[in-house]
Amino acid sequence: MLSIDPWECCILSSTSDIFSATQRFARSDGRRAWVELAVTFGLYVSSVFVGLATLGIWWITLPTVLLASAMGLRIYMIQHDCLHRSFFASRETNDLIGMLLSPIAMTPYKATRYIHGLHHTYVSDLERRDSFEIFTMTLAEWQAAPGWKRLHYRIYRSPVVLILIGPFVLFGVLRRLPLYGFKTGVGDLVFHNVLLAAYLGIIWWTTGWAGLGFWVASVYFACAFGGLIPYIVHNFENVRWGRRPELTFASAALDGSAVLDWGRLFDLVTLNIGYHDLHHFNAKIPGYSLRNAHAALEAEGLIQSEKINFLEGLRCLRWKLFDEEIGRMIPFPSRAMLRERQRTSATVG
């Protein structure tokens, strides 16, 4: 049986003109990559050092916490590019840097590469929603679910859980020993956790519990803000969900993801991850080239993306279920809506 690396599926699944046009951007720039890494890591280390050295001086501590949080999020994005082996030209360099960045990115490298590969392979596939960070029920599933399951899903899909609690629990606790990590090697998990323990040990040894509090705050803000990104880019009203073979790779990538139009500063901090539809279409485009690639393809009329500003993104939190009949996300339905839907279905039947 032929075995295909899921990270190559985006290449093997498309021969379209759009994919051909993206290829000129799917090249790593070694000099640019090292500069991006050096500046990001330098700002992260500087913010942590200054923040820990000035604990208790709130007008210094707060800005440094926020800067450390922003640069920690950016380091996660750099590791994300390393997962795709697109940040550097060398496969070995991507893997080495990705592993060394893991205690700041708060996720083991090989295990994350495995689960994120599944996410790219099965984006927008209703039959493989287990590969998504955020689970989405269909309206039909909601209607058929018992009361306890509906209650569980309501709690799960609340902004408090999905944004304020869930991301921190995921990266702070669950990513220490993800079960799928046993498929990719226990050594990766041990290496990651040893590095993280050493990092936290240095902070505690030099600054005590207050220093650890600074670190927790920086990680929390990064998780909370970072949690908005995967939610909104895959949970906007007109998102595409479907089943294969009707669901093609191109439609899943370009219609199953949106563009976060949140301004140049956001693009800079997140390494352009907001141009998510093109990223899913060709994950070999490094983040530092993604914005320019998207602009070029739009100018050539090859793509037309769903763009969501920040306020529109916050309003996406009201979308809870995917309605397969109308092909879009909807809020939790009222009883009146469900009764009307049942009457309509009975009439059509």
Side-chain angles (χ1 to χ4, degrees), residues 22-33:
T22 66
Q23 285 297 81
R24 66 184 185 271
F25 300 100
R27 298 187 181 93
S28 303
D29 181 338
R31 182 177 180 278
R32 175 73 181 273

Side-chain angles (χ1 to χ4, degrees), residues 54 122 193 257 267-268:
T54 58
Y122 298 110
N193 286 307
S257 307
D267 293 344
L268 189 64

Side-chain angles (χ1 to χ4, degrees), residues 296-307:
L297 267 64
E298 274 195 326
E300 294 167 16
L302 292 172
I303 59 174
Q304 186 176 6
S305 301
E306 175 101 12
K307 294 184 179 179

Side-chain angles (χ1 to χ4, degrees), residues 22 103 108 119 129 150 156 159 188 239 254 267 276 309 319 342:
T22 66
H119 169 71
R129 280 168 285 171
R150 290 188 183 188
Y156 168 74
D188 170 54
V239 66
L254 297 177
D267 293 344
H276 214 67
N309 64 37
W319 306 127
Q342 288 172 350

